[in-house]
Amino acid sequence: MSGEDAIKIDQPQELSFEECPEISEEIEKRHKIEKLLLEGGGHIEIDVLRELARSDHGLVADDLRRSLWPALVGVDVKCLLPAPKLCDFETHPEYNQVVLDVNRSLKRFPPGIPYEQRIALQDQLTVLIMRVICKYPDLRYYQGYHDVAVTFLLVAGEEVAFAVMDVLSTNHFSECMQETMDATQKRLLFIWPVVNFENPELFNFLQHSGVGTMFALPWYLTWFGHSLNSYKAVVRLYDYFLASPVYSPLFVTAAIILYRADEVFLQDCDMASIHLLLSKLPENLPIEQLLNTSSHLYDKYPMTMIKKEVERLEREDQERRKLDEKSALERRKKLARNAKSSSNYTLSHWIPQLLTPKSFIVTTAFSIFVGFCAYYYKSQYMSAGIS
């Protein structure tokens, strides 16, 4: 991605790795998954696995995710290739940018890990990203890609994380890895029909504020891995996204906006206020509730319906822009006419004032005096022999 097209996102939220005891529902879910794995010889039917990942509490814990995340994306962990060395990528044109972003990702690593382990994880993350970029020259690294990769690295290890990112980069994140962000920014428009269908008043308020979709860009680019401050919430969302259609992050985004409607209406209806509110996610988001809402919205509004609505909104926006441009042009013409009229009035007002009878007599006398002086001095010069 060219420098002028690159999207810059803020520093990530500091990630909390606080471990909480599993509640009774999570313990029950864990036992169910472990039983299915035992009965299936370490495997779970893909449809059943997707339902487990999408339903309340997801895959529960990282020890289960380590084996089930690869299965969700179709990765065979028996056919993994060893990772190359970091020095193999140092001459690649995107290497320095990747290293810079990885070095900024310290907030996404568990706190208190030994220095040597942290450095090793950073090197593994750099290699993981560079392997994908080198394998797919048509794909472009974007800032935020490392936030996704680091989550898979922490859960599944270097080789599995690369295999998972290899698959995701060619489907879920392929639009984000184009030469420009045009396709991604257009895709974010898909959140508005859902919001409009569910809460037209909220939709009109947000549109009137001019907030746009930039507040949601880091959410979409990183599967919320950049913006949430709870590791448990991040991996729970990844359970859901891995088991859901490509567009599921957009429906989660719409669910969050709808959930925060009351907060939105308390703000001034301007871009700065609304962007500031929406761009920072609260710490206490009800993740399970939002995911259930997202699934409901996805089932309720087919993508064909949403695409048609986006096209309609784009046409209305274009027509509104044309009207605004026409109004602006008419205002400029009116100002120009007023300025010209004012200038003509000034001249027509002051010239008669200057040409009063008294001023006319003075001006005429002065002109005669100047002419007489010129004639006199010329006669003197000629009589003296000066021509």
Side-chain angles (χ1 to χ4, degrees):
M1 188 181 304
S2 63
E4 62 184 25
D5 292 319
I7 298 291
K8 300 296 183 183
I9 55 180
D10 297 333
Q11 287 292 316
Q13 294 288 320
E14 186 167 359
L15 200 59
S16 170
F17 288 83
E18 181 181 2
E19 294 186 8
C20 302
E22 292 179 3
I23 60 176
S24 58
E25 290 86 353
E26 290 174 326
I27 294 172
E28 183 179 348
K29 186 80 175 284
R30 169 189 280 278
H31 289 162
K32 181 179 180 179
I33 294 172
E34 289 174 342
K35 181 181 178 181
L36 289 169
L37 283 170
L38 184 62
E39 292 173 349
H43 300 281
I44 299 176
E45 290 293 328
I46 188 62
D47 291 339
V48 176
L49 178 55
R50 286 175 180 155
E51 180 56 31
L52 289 169
R54 286 166 57 86
S55 59
D56 287 354
H57 311 296
L59 301 178
V60 183
D62 284 0
D63 60 320
L64 295 173
R65 294 184 176 101
R66 197 164 292 117
S67 61
L68 296 179
W69 274 3
L72 278 172
V73 296
V75 168
D76 185 355
V77 295
K78 296 178 182 178
C79 301
L80 301 177
L81 298 174
K85 296 179 180 179
L86 182 65
C87 59
D88 295 339
F89 303 103
E90 291 178 349
T91 58
H92 193 279
E94 298 202 65
Y95 173 80
N96 290 331
Q97 182 60 54
V98 172
V99 170
L100 284 173
D101 287 345
V102 168
N103 289 340
R104 295 191 192 105
S105 65
L106 295 181
K107 293 180 179 179
R108 315 309 284 178
F109 289 114
I113 62 173
Y115 173 79
E116 294 78 9
Q117 184 181 354
R118 176 173 61 78
I119 294 299
L121 283 171
Q122 286 180 274
D123 288 349
Q124 289 175 9
L125 180 57
T126 303
V127 170
L128 189 165
I129 294 169
M130 294 305 304
R131 288 175 76 182
V132 175
I133 294 173
C134 290
K135 183 174 181 180
Y136 301 104
D138 293 337
L139 299 181
R140 297 291 180 266
Y141 170 78
Y142 63 86
Q143 189 178 2
Y145 185 87
H146 65 289
D147 288 305
V148 181
V150 71
T151 303
F152 290 108
L153 175 64
L154 292 174
V155 171
E158 187 174 14
E159 280 82 14
V160 172
F162 164 70
V164 171
M165 290 302 294
D166 185 348
V167 174
L168 295 181
S169 298
T170 56
N171 47 55
H172 288 71
F173 295 108
S174 60
E175 282 187 343
C176 305
M177 302 184 76
Q178 300 305 307
E179 191 69 34
T180 71
M181 277 288 171
D182 292 346
T184 300
Q185 291 173 324
K186 183 169 184 176
R187 189 66 62 197
L188 285 172
L189 296 175
F190 282 40
I191 64 178
W192 293 134
V194 180
V195 174
N196 190 25
F197 294 150
E198 289 291 303
N199 191 333
E201 184 182 2
L202 175 63
F203 170 77
N204 290 330
F205 186 90
L206 291 170
Q207 293 301 297
H208 186 68
S209 76
V211 69
T213 58
M214 286 300 291
F215 68 89
L217 182 62
W219 306 353
Y220 188 63
L221 292 179
T222 71
W223 278 3
F224 294 85
H226 181 89
S227 305
L228 288 170
N229 54 13
S230 166
Y231 174 79
K232 184 175 181 178
V234 171
V235 292
R236 172 64 189 103
L237 281 172
Y238 277 40
D239 291 341
Y240 184 84
F241 293 145
L242 288 172
S244 302
V246 172
Y247 300 130
S248 56
L250 300 173
F251 287 87
V252 173
T253 297
I256 291 173
I257 295 170
L258 291 165
Y259 171 76
R260 303 186 70 188
D262 290 343
E263 292 178 77
V264 170
F265 286 131
L266 291 175
Q267 304 298 311
D268 293 330
C269 188
D270 63 76
M271 188 273 289
S273 299
I274 303 301
H275 179 87
L276 182 63
L277 172 73
L278 291 178
S279 60
K280 187 171 178 58
L281 293 172
E283 295 184 10
N284 58 344
L285 278 176
I287 297 297
E288 298 301 338
Q289 175 187 332
L290 292 170
L291 295 184
N292 288 329
T293 300
S294 174
S295 296
H296 170 71
L297 294 172
Y298 185 83
D299 293 336
K300 188 175 181 180
Y301 302 116
M303 288 305 300
T304 53
M305 181 180 180
I306 291 176
K307 288 178 181 178
K308 288 181 180 179
E309 183 66 9
V310 168
E311 291 172 359
R312 185 186 71 80
L313 292 173
E314 286 184 319
R315 285 196 302 270
E316 287 185 355
D317 184 62
Q318 289 174 357
E319 291 171 1
R320 187 164 49 249
R321 288 174 184 272
K322 288 180 181 178
L323 289 174
D324 290 343
E325 290 173 0
K326 183 178 179 181
S327 297
L329 180 60
E330 290 176 351
R331 285 195 299 270
R332 288 195 294 270
K333 288 180 178 179
K334 185 177 180 180
L335 288 172
R337 287 195 301 268
N338 290 342
K340 184 178 180 181
S341 175
S342 176
S343 175
N344 291 338
Y345 169 78
T346 301
L347 289 173
S348 63
H349 178 74
W350 285 105
I351 288 176
Q353 298 295 324
L354 291 172
L355 297 179
T356 60
K358 183 177 179 179
S359 63
F360 180 76
I361 293 170
V362 172
T363 304
T364 303
F366 181 73
S367 299
I368 293 171
F369 174 73
V370 170
F372 176 77
C373 289
Y375 175 78
Y376 173 78
Y377 284 112
K378 182 177 181 181
S379 299
Q380 293 295 318
Y381 292 152
M382 290 179 67
S383 64
I386 302 173
S387 58

